[in-house]
Amino acid sequence: KYEKIWLAFGIGCLFVFLTVIGVSAFAEGNQPPSCLTTIDPEKVDQTPPFDKPGLVKTGNNEYQLNIVVSAFAFTPNQIEIPKGAKVTINVTSKDVIHGFEVAGTNVNMMVEPGYINTLTKTFDKTGEYTILCNEYCGAGHHVMTGRIKVV
Ligand code: CUA
């Protein structure tokens, strides 16, 4: 008898958790970064889209932002984004694991050599945002910064 109650309680809890995850994923745009594809870290500079890193317009108010990360820099590291732009950010590393965090937003990815990590973010507030490497990557880790200006 009691088992049934506990079972129902357990299933109820599971349902609540799934709902919470679902709502946060879809309503708040809190998606985890997904791994799109692999890339040869030695040939990043010759592999599109990273042969021409930077912001590319892909549609009406839609952009792609391709960033090459290496010890100890983001390329490019000064980016201007129009307000309201929906930006798909692609990052990859030429050497070791780095981080790509846009301070004050939910943009936070690992940057791994051999992989392209990607996420989409709509920048609907003007302002300046600092890009940080949040994964210890060596002697120059603390100087790895960049800036996104939403105008
Ligand atoms: Cu790159 Cu820390």
Side-chain angles (χ1 to χ4, degrees):
K1 220 173 167 191
Y2 286 114
E3 284 95 336
K4 261 191 183 162
I5 296 172
W6 280 112
L7 190 65
F9 180 71
I11 292 170
C13 280
L14 187 67
F15 189 74
V16 168
F17 282 133
L18 289 176
T19 307
V20 167
I21 292 168
V23 166
S24 77
F26 293 106
E28 293 161 23
N30 217 351
Q31 314 113 314
S34 54
C35 178
L36 248 197
T37 178
T38 55
I39 186 169
D40 184 344
E42 316 242 292
K43 292 190 183 131
V44 165
D45 292 328
Q46 294 113 60
T47 310
F50 298 103
D51 55 338
K52 292 184 188 108
L55 193 70
V56 186
K57 190 163 186 171
T58 53
N60 185 22
N61 225 13
E62 286 187 17
Y63 294 81
Q64 207 179 64
L65 176 59
N66 304 303
I67 296 194
V68 175
V69 187
S70 59
F72 298 99
F74 298 102
T75 308
N77 67 1
Q78 305 288 326
I79 301 131
E80 214 172 88
I81 296 174
K83 185 187 168 196
K86 187 178 168 198
V87 183
T88 299
I89 306 171
N90 299 315
V91 294
T92 192
S93 169
K94 285 164 76 175
D95 39 50
V96 297
I97 293 176
H98 298 277
F100 183 90
E101 179 182 350
V102 181
T105 72
N106 62 354
V107 176
N108 189 350
M109 284 189 273
M110 267 180 108
V111 187
E112 299 156 277
Y115 296 93
I116 300 169
N117 283 310
T118 187
L119 67 71
T120 301
K121 163 85 181 162
T122 302
F123 289 89
D124 38 29
K125 263 196 242 156
T126 57
E128 291 201 6
Y129 300 86
T130 303
I131 304 170
L132 297 169
C133 176
N134 57 10
E135 202 75 49
Y136 184 75
C137 52
H141 166 68
H142 62 285
V143 302
M144 280 190 74
T145 60
R147 187 159 296 264
I148 289 179
K149 242 185 177 173
V150 181
V151 292

